[in-house]
Amino acid sequence: MTHGHGPPTGHAGSAHRWRLATALVLIAGFFVVELVAGLLSGSLALLSDAGHMAADVVTLAAALAATLIAVRPDRSGRRTFGHYRIEVFASLLAVLIMLGVAAGVVIAAIGRLGRQIEVDSGPMLVVGVLGLIVNLVVLVMLHGGAGESLNVKGAYLEVMADTVGSLGVILAAVLLRVTGATWIDTAVALAVGLFIAVRAVILAREVLGVLGQAAPTGIDPERVRADLAAIDGVVEAHDLHLWTLTSGMEVATVHLVVDPGRDPHPVLDAAQELLSVTHGIAHATVQTEPTDHHGCLEIGW
């Protein structure tokens, strides 16, 4: 039996921790500005975008925390997988916040239907433009690490989505100033709320997939099994399990039945290289068995 210890690719963002920290400060600071401006101006579009920024703050904080907590050694001896799952639970919290924000925005928008609401388009336009600038600055900052770290890439995509929200606020402010129709603010807020909800559902599916130990996205278990069974000297590959520990850290266990008299070491090396290079699974436990071994048949699950 052998096992491989690949690098914690899901947390390569440690080298870009300063990017995440700076982005967190900028987004969190502007979230307060946008929230206050939304309350003072009466703009639901601003408030909905502020809620979106709140989700960004949680996501950035989770990404930053993952680079700090994940590398801490476990002193209890009971967390055999370390602290890597902290990122997944933080993402689940972000999902709940996003769904809460989306629900609040939709309820508020419905409550405004048929009512004449005073909305000051001036602060909307100014804060929307400033929000767009802040988002673009953060995008440029995170772009340098997005290609190397999934943590940074996730934060980059979050801020990119929030940039769309800032553009929506600007559009609503301009149309409101030109037409005076306050329903435009409500319509844009409703669109942003639905946009947040859709993104929350997509992220929730990914999070639940990880927590449910589904096979990693982009990896076909049957293809992996077939490739392992095709290794010279392997008669059969069974008891294959594939799951994601946290983003960018895929794990596998498998049993390989080898030909009688075959040296298992070359088989183990070939299996480890196949899983790592071909399928991107750096951490794998491979067990070899002779053809007359029947212990696996006694397992009831």
Side-chain angles (χ1 to χ4, degrees):
M1 184 188 301
T2 186
H3 57 276
H5 296 285
T9 55
H11 297 280
S14 297
H16 303 284
R17 190 174 293 152
W18 68 271
R19 299 179 189 271
L20 293 171
T22 306
L24 177 60
V25 171
L26 290 174
I27 295 296
F30 195 78
F31 157 70
V32 175
V33 173
E34 192 166 40
L35 178 62
V36 172
L39 292 172
L40 293 178
S41 67
S43 170
L44 188 57
L46 266 183
L47 289 175
S48 65
D49 195 49
H52 197 180
M53 274 199 163
D56 288 349
V57 170
V58 174
T59 303
L60 285 166
L64 181 60
T67 67
L68 297 170
I69 298 176
V71 295
R72 291 175 53 190
D74 172 45
R75 305 188 190 283
S76 70
R78 299 188 59 82
R79 295 184 178 90
T80 57
F81 279 105
H83 300 279
Y84 292 117
R85 273 281 166 93
I86 187 68
E87 180 192 25
V88 181
F89 289 111
S91 297
L92 182 60
L93 175 61
V95 167
L96 296 177
I97 291 176
M98 291 167 69
L99 288 176
V101 169
V105 170
V106 172
I107 291 173
I110 293 176
R112 285 191 172 190
L113 295 178
R115 296 170 53 194
Q116 185 64 30
I117 305 295
E118 291 295 328
V119 179
D120 190 348
S121 62
M124 276 184 66
L125 185 58
V126 172
V127 175
V129 171
L130 291 177
L132 179 62
I133 294 173
V134 169
N135 283 322
L136 291 176
V137 169
V138 173
L139 281 177
V140 172
M141 187 182 306
L142 294 178
H143 184 267
E148 300 177 16
S149 165
L150 289 179
N151 263 340
V152 180
K153 182 178 180 180
Y156 177 82
L157 294 177
E158 278 289 325
V159 177
M160 181 180 292
D162 194 54
T163 304
V164 176
S166 294
L167 290 173
V169 170
I170 295 173
L171 176 63
V174 172
L175 292 178
L176 181 60
R177 180 174 288 270
V178 172
T179 65
T182 56
W183 65 265
I184 294 175
D185 176 75
T186 303
V188 170
L190 187 60
V192 172
L194 293 176
F195 177 64
I196 295 173
V198 170
R199 291 181 56 251
V201 171
I202 294 174
L203 179 58
R205 290 181 60 185
E206 296 179 6
V207 170
L208 294 177
V210 173
L211 294 179
Q213 294 185 301
T217 302
I219 298 180
D220 181 1
E222 288 306 315
R223 170 69 185 277
V224 174
R225 191 193 314 275
D227 288 347
L228 289 168
I231 294 175
D232 186 32
V234 174
V235 176
E236 179 191 2
H238 62 260
D239 280 357
L240 173 65
H241 299 281
L242 302 167
W243 71 98
T244 299
L245 182 57
T246 187
S247 62
M249 298 181 69
E250 281 68 49
V251 185
T253 62
V254 66
H255 294 187
L256 301 179
V257 179
V258 299
D259 287 325
R262 169 77 65 164
D263 182 1
H265 289 170
V267 173
L268 294 173
D269 292 341
Q272 191 65 58
E273 182 178 3
L274 171 71
L275 291 170
S276 178
V277 176
T278 304
H279 297 287
I281 304 172
H283 195 298
T285 301
V286 183
Q287 175 176 312
T288 59
E289 303 169 350
T291 53
D292 59 353
H293 176 70
H294 303 292
C296 296
L297 300 177
E298 300 173 0
I299 299 176
W301 57 277

